[in-house]
Amino acid sequence: MKIEIEDLSCRIGKKLLLSHVSMSFEGRRIVGVIGPNGCGKTTLLRHIYRDIPVRGHVFLDGKDVSDYGRRIFAQKVAVMAQRLSQADEGLTVGDLVRMGRYPYKGILEQYDEEDERIVREALEQTGLSEFKNRRLGTMSGGEAQRAMIAKCFVQQPGAIILDEPTNHLDVKYKLELMRLLKGFGGLVILTVHDLNLAADYCDYLYVMKDGEVRGEGEPEAVLTEALLGEVFEVPFRAVRSGGRVILSV
């Protein structure tokens, strides 16, 4: 799967949110988009998953994203919400995860054994089998995040898009979530605040500021004191050890 953004700009009122942004996402890897608050990261993702309609700038496998029907697009791209809705909290884990099969079902078509097998496998993969009948409203933030990831896996997409998925999570659950994403057999695109998580788990990074791409490349090449200092406007210290980058301010 390949997602391409070509010369994308976005203005809301007098504020320019994105300015001539071009990016390319492809293959089985995790691509992170980093930058300070208000730099355009979320706006960028919203264009990819069509929450902000646009033509001629965002392409999925060479085809404008606007030309895909809703069901076909959902079979190709899954989007993980930042948190559960109030309505979702009354569902069981199994109910939520099973909803990931909607793009494959016709009107009034029932779930079949193949759907249930896919759900069982996703629950096992995310360590949620024993929570299948548990109400989501009774679960911790990390457990709920795992359920939303399982729902994405059940969609069997080529790509998963996540906006700040590690926000409000304890360190344990941040690492757990990133390990699950690392095991996904497709493309992952996410925005992330925690730069050390980005360094450890992302295969490629885009760095944004003021709606523009200021740098891109593998984490070790991009996460430099000079670039991060310029983008975040605070001094950074980057220590390189054993192929890892450890950042501090």
Side-chain angles (χ1 to χ4, degrees):
M1 171 169 287
K2 187 173 186 179
I3 295 174
E4 297 170 282
I5 299 170
E6 297 180 359
D7 195 31
L8 174 63
S9 295
C10 177
R11 183 184 296 274
I12 296 180
K14 295 182 178 180
K15 185 172 178 59
L16 183 64
L17 301 179
L18 297 172
S19 178
H20 303 288
V21 171
S22 294
M23 296 179 176
S24 181
F25 310 89
E26 186 175 10
R28 179 180 176 177
R29 60 179 182 166
I30 299 180
V31 182
V33 183
I34 63 174
N37 288 336
C39 72
K41 302 188 300 293
T42 295
T43 301
L44 177 79
L45 295 192
R46 290 177 65 199
H47 279 87
I48 297 174
Y49 62 79
R50 312 192 307 179
D51 191 45
I52 300 177
V54 65
R55 287 199 62 87
H57 296 284
V58 185
F59 303 91
L60 172 61
D61 290 335
K63 181 178 176 179
D64 195 298
V65 291
S66 300
D67 292 334
Y68 284 92
R70 290 180 61 185
R71 286 180 58 207
I72 298 301
F73 188 80
Q75 291 171 17
K76 291 178 174 292
V77 177
V79 181
M80 187 178 125
Q82 282 189 320
R83 59 186 64 191
L84 291 170
S85 69
Q86 200 165 22
D88 288 339
E89 291 181 357
L91 300 174
T92 66
V93 171
D95 290 336
L96 179 76
V97 174
R98 197 175 290 110
M99 287 169 63
R101 298 304 296 162
Y102 277 1
Y104 298 92
K105 313 307 291 184
I107 297 174
L108 301 180
E109 185 179 357
Q110 299 296 309
Y111 296 111
D112 57 25
E113 180 51 38
E114 177 68 4
D115 296 318
E116 297 299 339
R117 180 190 65 78
I118 293 168
V119 169
R120 285 195 301 272
E121 289 180 354
L123 291 172
E124 290 172 9
Q125 186 178 356
T126 53
L128 289 172
S129 296
E130 64 184 274
F131 296 100
K132 181 178 179 180
N133 297 316
R134 181 103 166 260
R135 297 287 174 186
L136 288 157
T138 68
M139 301 177 74
S140 70
E143 291 165 344
Q145 289 279 56
R146 275 192 282 157
M148 289 190 284
I149 283 287
K151 178 188 173 187
C152 289
F153 288 173
V154 160
Q155 271 180 247
Q156 297 184 313
I160 299 177
I161 298 176
L162 311 93
D163 189 14
E164 303 289 359
T166 60
N167 270 10
H168 314 299
L169 292 182
D170 292 337
V171 173
K172 172 188 174 181
Y173 292 119
K174 286 183 180 183
L175 297 176
E176 192 175 72
L177 178 64
M178 295 306 294
R179 288 176 189 136
L180 284 172
L181 293 174
K182 201 72 174 175
F184 174 61
L187 174 65
V188 176
I189 305 170
L190 78 163
T191 60
V192 59
H193 268 307
D194 189 321
L195 299 182
N196 282 305
L197 276 184
D200 286 343
Y201 287 96
C202 291
D203 302 296
Y204 199 86
L205 292 172
Y206 285 96
V207 185
M208 294 187 66
K209 184 179 181 182
D210 298 330
E212 300 177 341
V213 176
R214 297 295 179 89
E216 65 173 283
E218 295 179 358
E220 191 169 356
V222 168
L223 298 174
T224 64
E225 294 172 354
L227 180 57
L228 295 178
E230 173 198 335
V231 168
F232 290 94
E233 299 179 3
V234 293
F236 273 83
R237 183 167 180 259
V239 177
R240 283 163 168 75
S241 175
R244 291 185 66 219
V245 183
I246 303 171
L247 300 162
S248 61
V249 293

